Amino acid sequence: MHVIAFPVCSAAVIRAIPFKKSLVPTPNSSTNVHHPKVLRYSATDAETELEDKKYELLRVIQDTQRGLVTTADQRSSIEEALVSVEAFDAGEAIDLGELDGTWRLQYTSAPDVLILFESASRLPFFQVGQVFQKFECQDESNGGVVRNIVKWSIPSLLEEQEGATLLVSAKFSVVSSRNIYLQFEEIALNKINISEELQALIAPAILPRSFISLQILQFIRAFKAEFPVRNPGRNSVGGLYYLSYLDRYMLLGRAVGGGGVFVFTRAQAIVL
């Protein structure tokens, strides 16, 4: 599974951010020489252009159901919008302090993620809610931990959209200015929240809750299954991931080797 977060996108997702690119000075018209006291900068124009490009990217992915439903024309427009935003961050080294935190997936073309959305669209007993990517690399210089978080549910048995959590954990290391290498370590299933209907079946509200029924409910809530991720050679499964754009509010990535593109926006912190 590649690194992998999506409600309807809107302009509210985009907020003004400090422009961090190199500013282009304009020569002094009278002397035709550059001087620190007379330079004029195009920071405002460049920042506005960047915000427009980011808004356009969110607009073109808005009706794709996070990438599940796209036409050839839409995919072409999305790629064009992606490249336009990526151009503003080209060549800059990864800022791990900025990367740290929780990101919500807005769009992807990765087949191993889209299959989850496709399954949910076809199977009435399976729901996929929000998908997140959480980086833990604050104060680190060369890597950290990334966790792919998928909220899912089985209607009538679990709570809507967030009945359970699928967690894929990996360590990552910075291998170049824009590339990180991931070593997947574990898949876990936890945070099971059963529906009110199922709770009532286990421990009916009209009857005193017995010790056994309460123990069952406690066991379900605390349940966690963990599975190591290994290939037949017993080595950790890994992959290369290119961070093509990063600022405080947007993260774009490409799984190297044709694994798909990803569009994330900053989300509230998730406690695991």
Side-chain angles (χ1 to χ4, degrees):
M1 182 175 184
H2 293 295
V3 178
I4 61 166
F6 316 71
V8 174
C9 306
S10 68
V13 177
I14 297 297
R15 298 167 55 186
I17 60 172
F19 186 67
K20 62 179 183 178
K21 309 302 171 195
S22 300
L23 303 180
V24 181
T26 302
N28 183 340
S29 58
S30 60
T31 62
N32 199 31
V33 295
H34 293 83
H35 191 279
K37 294 183 179 180
V38 295
L39 294 183
R40 297 197 306 273
Y41 296 95
S42 58
T44 302
D45 291 343
E47 182 180 345
T48 300
E49 182 182 0
L50 172 58
E51 293 302 308
D52 288 344
K53 298 293 187 183
K54 290 163 63 177
Y55 176 82
E56 176 62 15
L57 174 57
L58 292 178
R59 187 191 67 79
V60 296
I61 66 175
Q62 181 172 350
D63 298 322
T64 66
Q65 298 181 36
R66 296 179 283 186
L68 175 62
V69 181
T70 58
T71 64
D73 288 343
Q74 283 178 309
R75 290 191 292 272
S76 178
S77 298
I78 291 168
E79 179 62 23
E80 182 178 347
L82 275 166
V83 172
S84 294
V85 176
E86 291 169 339
F88 283 86
D89 209 31
E92 291 202 3
I94 298 167
D95 184 339
L96 293 184
E98 207 164 63
L99 180 64
D100 184 85
T102 304
W103 301 87
R104 185 195 312 273
L105 183 63
Q106 302 287 355
Y107 171 85
T108 185
S109 61
D112 53 353
V113 183
L114 292 179
I115 194 172
L116 292 176
F117 302 151
E118 184 176 355
S119 297
S121 69
R122 293 184 176 183
L123 303 175
F125 55 84
F126 181 57
Q127 291 180 342
V128 175
Q130 301 296 332
V131 180
F132 301 92
Q133 192 170 78
K134 183 178 182 181
F135 283 91
E136 299 171 7
C137 49
Q138 188 70 40
D139 300 324
E140 298 291 337
S141 61
N142 196 42
V145 174
V146 59
R147 306 183 194 279
N148 297 320
I149 304 164
V150 180
K151 300 290 187 177
W152 63 278
S153 181
I154 299 175
S156 299
L157 295 181
L158 304 177
E159 288 185 1
E160 290 286 323
Q161 301 296 324
E162 297 194 5
T165 299
L166 177 66
L167 191 65
V168 182
S169 302
K171 290 183 178 180
F172 76 90
S173 57
V174 178
V175 295
S176 70
S177 62
R178 307 297 300 173
N179 286 291
I180 60 176
Y181 183 77
L182 300 107
Q183 287 188 305
F184 294 97
E185 297 192 317
E186 182 182 84
I187 297 176
L189 176 63
N190 63 359
K191 292 186 178 295
I192 297 178
N193 302 307
I194 62 176
S195 66
E196 293 183 0
E197 293 88 344
L198 183 56
Q199 290 187 55
L201 182 63
I202 296 173
I206 61 175
L207 297 176
R209 293 196 170 187
S210 67
F211 174 78
I212 293 179
S213 64
L214 291 175
Q215 286 292 99
I216 293 173
L217 292 173
Q218 180 65 27
F219 172 79
I220 293 174
R221 292 177 183 136
F223 177 81
K224 181 177 182 179
E226 301 175 343
F227 309 94
V229 179
R230 303 282 180 179
N231 63 20
R234 305 302 296 170
N235 295 319
S236 295
V237 177
L240 197 61
Y241 188 44
Y242 178 65
L243 301 179
S244 57
Y245 179 83
L246 170 66
D247 65 25
R248 291 178 61 191
Y249 305 108
M250 178 174 280
L251 170 64
L252 307 181
R254 295 178 180 267
V256 177
V261 300
F262 301 87
V263 177
F264 294 93
T265 54
R266 180 76 69 176
Q268 291 185 340
I270 293 179
V271 179
L272 299 175

